[in-house]
Amino acid sequence: MKTKLILLASLYISQYIPTTFFIQTVPVLMRQQNMSLGAIGFLGFLIVPSALKFLWSPLVDRYRLPGLGHYRGWIIGFQSLSIVTLLVTAFLDVQTNITGLLVCMFLAFLFSSSQDIATDALAVNLLLPQERGIGNAIQASGNFLGAIIGGGAALILLEKAGFRTTLLTMAIALLLCLVPILFHQEHLISVAKSTTLKSYLQPFIRFFSRPKMGLWLLVVLLYMISENVSGTLIRPLLVDRGLSLSDIGWLLGVVSYVSRIIAALMAGVLIGQWGRKRSLITFGVIANVAALLYILPAAGVASPSILYAVCILVSGLQSMAYTALLTAMMDRSNPTTAGTDYTTQISVAFVGVVATTVLGGMVADAIGYTLTLIIGAVVSLSSMLLIPKVYKDSH
């Protein structure tokens, strides 16, 4: 069990380092240049690969890279491409070549989201059902630790050491995260290799044919809307309150993510005791109500102690809800089509991320931070009404 968790932690850490750097750094830099929330929101289009990755997930399930195992080979390949992307970005002049920076940002999301297909499939096959609560806590914690490196430490390093040094440091971190998977001996599962359109569509047909799957995917879509809205708005909001790049790095990129890691581990234990249904509803309701605390900085509160308390509390509770959702997603993934099943659910969630990232900024420009945060919380809370129906008569 320990070896499994170390392997999964290293993989989930590595996926989030480059993507978090881009999605957290670029909006802050844009806001500091007085760009509108609407313009910042359009960065959401660059994370479209995370929403569309289900389209190529059957290929990851079906094919193997010669000599590298199955999912292991895909992970090594995509993580290596992420490292190359960071190296290329490091030598860009981002002041004059914004197009190049945005292309690299898009590629970082493409390679990371593709690696995530294989990593999630590997996790489904590695973890026993009773291990999934703590396993998904490790997944969430790995994501958050990667976010600390890419979003917190990188922001602080960026201000002190410059753009190139920051990108090169992240590339080294990704290289180190490759070590556990290089030594992993993967248990291979036999899969059909037909290349017909029917064989490509078959995993999707089986997945969508399962009882109450449409209702469950609606829950997945709505469950994280409030977190997506608050995550989109909090960074430009803190810039408006006068915080520096380094201040935001410490608050959102380090301290808040540490609280997320601790909360995810706590949730992993509680999920095993409470079960999926109770955990999803309890964590979801509390997290969405807590997200309304971001109304305080929206109303002008700039006290560091209050900002830290609010961000720590909101981040921790959102992390518990996120861990419960990931665990429930894994329960709905078949080991032989794990990449397709799990990725399809993640892609539905990312449709909400893209929509709220693009629309959240425009809505906040039109009606303000406070009303936008309230709308996001109400939408997410509506998904709690659907969860009992999903789990009714299920075992």
Side-chain angles (χ1 to χ4, degrees):
M1 180 65 174
K2 181 179 178 181
T3 303
K4 294 180 186 179
L5 298 182
I6 292 174
L7 171 63
L8 293 178
S10 69
L11 296 177
Y12 285 113
I13 288 170
S14 65
Q15 290 174 195
Y16 264 60
I17 291 175
T19 55
T20 308
F21 173 78
F22 285 114
I23 204 62
Q24 293 198 17
T25 304
V26 177
V28 172
L29 295 175
M30 291 173 69
R31 190 60 171 176
Q32 287 181 332
Q33 295 175 13
N34 297 317
M35 300 186 73
S36 71
L37 295 174
I40 294 172
F42 277 104
L43 288 174
F45 286 117
L46 296 178
I47 64 176
V48 164
S50 297
L52 297 182
K53 61 185 178 181
F54 72 94
L55 293 174
W56 54 95
S57 59
L59 304 179
V60 175
D61 275 331
R62 185 172 293 116
Y63 298 107
R64 301 168 182 168
L65 299 181
L68 293 176
H70 189 172
Y71 298 119
R72 175 179 177 271
W74 288 114
I75 292 168
I76 293 172
F78 285 124
Q79 190 160 324
S80 298
L81 289 172
S82 293
I83 293 171
V84 172
T85 300
L86 288 177
L87 293 175
V88 171
T89 309
F91 291 93
L92 290 177
D93 184 349
V94 295
Q95 299 297 325
T96 60
N97 192 1
I98 188 65
T99 300
L101 176 61
L102 294 178
V103 168
C104 288
M105 183 177 177
F106 176 82
L107 291 176
F109 275 95
L110 176 62
F111 298 143
S112 178
S113 61
S114 299
Q115 179 186 336
D116 189 48
I117 299 170
T119 302
D120 289 338
L122 187 70
V124 170
N125 284 284
L126 275 177
L127 297 172
L128 300 174
Q130 63 270 24
E131 297 173 336
R132 288 176 181 169
I134 191 64
N136 280 281
I138 292 297
Q139 172 182 347
S141 299
N143 292 164
F144 300 144
L145 184 53
I148 289 175
I149 298 171
L155 281 178
I156 297 167
L157 183 62
L158 179 65
E159 194 165 68
K160 297 183 180 300
F163 189 79
R164 180 169 299 175
T165 299
T166 302
L167 270 294
L168 293 175
T169 302
M170 290 195 296
I172 293 172
L174 257 65
L175 190 60
L176 292 175
C177 287
L178 264 179
V179 174
I181 192 65
L182 292 176
F183 288 96
H184 174 64
Q185 297 296 318
E186 183 179 10
H187 174 66
L188 299 179
I189 296 177
S190 298
V191 292
K193 294 186 178 180
S194 173
T195 58
T196 65
L197 177 62
K198 182 178 179 180
S199 68
Y200 168 81
L201 294 175
Q202 196 63 43
F204 294 115
I205 295 172
R206 286 198 299 267
F207 177 78
F208 286 105
S209 297
R210 295 176 190 171
K212 301 181 181 178
M213 185 54 67
L215 189 61
W216 168 245
L217 292 178
L218 182 58
V219 171
V220 171
L221 177 65
L222 300 178
Y223 194 81
M224 304 295 292
I225 291 294
S226 178
E227 179 173 350
N228 298 335
V229 170
S230 61
T232 298
L233 298 182
I234 188 61
R235 286 165 184 82
L237 175 54
L238 293 178
V239 173
D240 291 350
R241 297 286 79 82
L243 274 68
S244 69
L245 196 67
S246 181
D247 291 334
I248 295 173
W250 277 109
L251 176 56
L252 296 181
V254 177
V255 176
S256 292
Y257 276 121
V258 169
S259 72
R260 283 179 176 268
I261 292 173
I262 295 171
L265 295 173
M266 292 172 57
V269 175
L270 291 173
I271 290 167
Q273 298 174 354
W274 290 359
R276 282 30 167 186
K277 176 183 172 182
R278 180 183 175 187
S279 299
L280 281 168
I281 295 174
T282 303
F283 296 149
V285 170
I286 296 174
N288 285 302
V289 173
L292 295 176
L293 290 172
Y294 281 148
I295 292 174
L296 292 175
V301 174
S303 167
S305 59
I306 293 178
L307 291 179
Y308 269 89
V310 166
C311 290
I312 289 171
L313 181 61
V314 174
S315 296
L317 292 173
Q318 288 177 338
S319 171
M320 299 181 90
Y322 177 61
T323 304
L325 185 64
L326 292 177
T327 305
M329 287 180 183
M330 189 170 285
D331 289 340
R332 289 164 174 78
S333 302
N334 188 300
T336 59
T337 54
T340 301
D341 294 357
Y342 198 92
T343 299
T344 300
Q345 297 174 77
I346 291 290
S347 293
V348 169
F350 264 98
V351 168
V353 175
V354 173
T356 51
T357 301
V358 174
L359 296 177
M362 291 190 290
V363 172
D365 261 341
I367 65 175
Y369 287 115
T370 299
L371 285 177
T372 307
L373 289 166
I374 292 173
I375 291 171
V378 171
V379 172
S380 282
L381 285 170
S382 69
S383 70
M384 307 303 143
L385 302 175
L386 303 177
I387 293 172
K389 298 179 181 179
V390 172
Y391 280 89
K392 185 178 180 181
D393 302 325
S394 64
H395 299 282

